[in-house]
Amino acid sequence: MKELNQSDIIAAFENFSNLRARMIEEEWGNQDPNATDDLTYFNLMDAEISKITNTLSRNVEGIEIKIWLMLIFNLESGDDEMHALKRNIDHFGIHYEKFDADVRLIISAIQSLRDEQFCRY
């Protein structure tokens, strides 16, 4: 694993989020996975995902970003995914019971990291 500045991990997640949100809003990625526009976006997103997944996180926010990415990979709804891209934990707390056990575990991990007794950032 390589070590990047934590701001690089945050920037990679923001870049990924912007790309993925645009795909969701325009309903890309649902037709032909080999379409040029889709492939370009997938390649750009993959590059940002690699920066996040192949980097050691040295603070809580970097760890939380990795967990948000895991949550995004486990969601089925574009609406839920949009909230995850914005790191909106309140949405997932309100709708907690609708998710399966895997997603609830991920939500719980994020909530635990954000607990004021654990840390602040």
Side-chain angles (χ1 to χ4, degrees):
M1 292 210 148
K2 57 186 171 187
E3 234 179 284
L4 290 178
N5 184 312
Q6 291 303 295
S7 62
D8 293 333
I9 294 173
I10 295 165
F13 186 81
E14 289 174 6
N15 292 338
F16 166 79
S17 295
N18 291 333
L19 291 163
R20 184 65 189 138
R22 184 168 176 204
M23 287 185 77
I24 292 168
E25 288 167 357
E26 297 182 12
E27 297 183 2
W28 288 7
N30 296 325
Q31 293 85 24
D32 179 6
N34 296 314
T36 304
D37 288 340
D38 284 4
L39 197 53
T40 299
Y41 269 75
F42 282 117
N43 288 337
L44 291 170
M45 286 189 307
D46 283 347
E48 300 303 328
I49 290 167
S50 288
K51 290 177 190 174
I52 296 166
T53 59
N54 295 324
T55 302
L56 292 174
S57 296
R58 298 286 185 200
N59 67 23
V60 174
E61 188 174 15
I63 295 166
E64 185 182 308
I65 284 172
K66 290 175 178 273
I67 298 171
W68 277 110
L69 194 58
M70 188 177 1
L71 177 63
I72 290 165
F73 294 154
N74 282 276
L75 294 173
E76 296 177 10
S77 158
D79 180 57
D80 292 331
E81 192 172 341
M82 290 297 278
H83 285 282
L85 293 170
K86 296 173 188 168
R87 296 166 54 189
N88 179 2
I89 195 63
D90 292 337
H91 169 81
F92 294 96
I94 292 167
H95 301 285
Y96 186 79
E97 292 303 321
K98 84 173 192 175
F99 298 108
D100 65 22
D102 294 341
V103 170
R104 287 195 310 264
L105 179 60
I106 296 168
I107 294 166
S108 175
I110 294 168
Q111 290 169 328
S112 296
L113 284 175
R114 289 197 175 183
D115 187 304
E116 287 187 38
Q117 293 178 11
F118 183 76
C119 68
R120 290 184 184 191
Y121 68 84

